[in-house]
């Protein structure tokens, strides 16, 4: 059974940090890129970041660049999203998704071209 298990969300004050985890199982992790998305109430889904297992290339939305860092532990089949200097506008449900091979579809804005989608984890940043 394919699973993408996102965890690590919570309530944090502005300026604080959280680390999200996306644990993958049921597919060959090394053959996929993992991306993070977020969706706030009443807003469209936003691509946050992506990392390719093949070459460790990374992509960041301009809204999070310099504050968020994506990383991958291939031995644990887990991708992390370290979120620092959090702002109230970062409040959203965060999801992880798997794209075959690399972040090409993600970087091209083809967000619906994922192969697997996980459940979300809530991040709330208070002002």
């Amino acid at each position: 059974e394919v699973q993408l298990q996102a965890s690590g969300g919570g309530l944090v004050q502005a300026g604080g940090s959280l680390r999200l985890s996306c644990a993958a199982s049921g597919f060959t992790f090394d053959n996929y890129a993992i991306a993070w998305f977020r969706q706030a109430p009443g807003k469209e889904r936003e691509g946050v970041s992506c990392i390719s297992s093949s070459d460790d290339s990374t992509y960041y939305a301009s809204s999070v660049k310099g504050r968020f860092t994506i990383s991958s532990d291939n031995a644990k089949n887990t991708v992390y999203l370290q979120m620092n200097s959090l702002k109230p506008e970062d409040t959203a449900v965060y999801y992880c998704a798997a794209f075959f091979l690399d972040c090409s579809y993600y970087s091209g804005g083809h967000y619906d071209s994922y192969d697997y989608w996980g459940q979300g984890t809530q991040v709330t940043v208070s002002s």
Side-chain angles (χ1 to χ4, degrees):
E1 179 187 4
V2 171
Q3 280 194 330
L4 286 172
Q5 187 81 22
S7 62
L11 173 64
V12 65
Q13 287 189 331
S17 298
L18 283 174
R19 189 178 80 156
L20 304 184
S21 299
C22 176
S25 61
F27 61 95
T28 305
F29 185 77
D30 292 351
N31 289 346
Y32 288 81
I34 302 295
W36 286 97
F37 295 87
R38 66 186 181 186
Q39 188 160 23
K43 294 190 176 181
E44 290 190 357
R45 180 181 51 182
E46 178 185 14
V48 176
S49 185
C50 185
I51 185 166
S52 292
S53 296
S54 58
D55 61 4
D56 282 340
S57 57
T58 57
Y59 298 85
Y60 295 95
S62 57
S63 58
V64 307
K65 192 172 287 187
R67 299 187 298 121
F68 291 10
T69 303
I70 193 169
S71 61
S72 179
D73 185 338
N74 288 11
K76 295 183 178 180
N77 287 3
T78 300
V79 167
Y80 303 98
L81 186 68
Q82 178 67 43
M83 306 187 297
N84 298 330
S85 302
L86 282 162
K87 305 175 181 180
E89 51 264 43
D90 294 318
T91 295
V93 178
Y94 284 69
Y95 302 89
C96 56
F99 291 79
F100 186 59
L101 283 185
D102 56 31
C103 294
S104 297
Y105 283 123
Y106 170 89
S107 61
H110 303 291
Y111 294 161
D112 289 331
S113 296
Y114 61 87
D115 290 89
Y116 308 114
W117 186 269
Q119 97 295 350
T121 185
Q122 175 71 47
V123 171
T124 303
V125 184
S126 63
S127 56

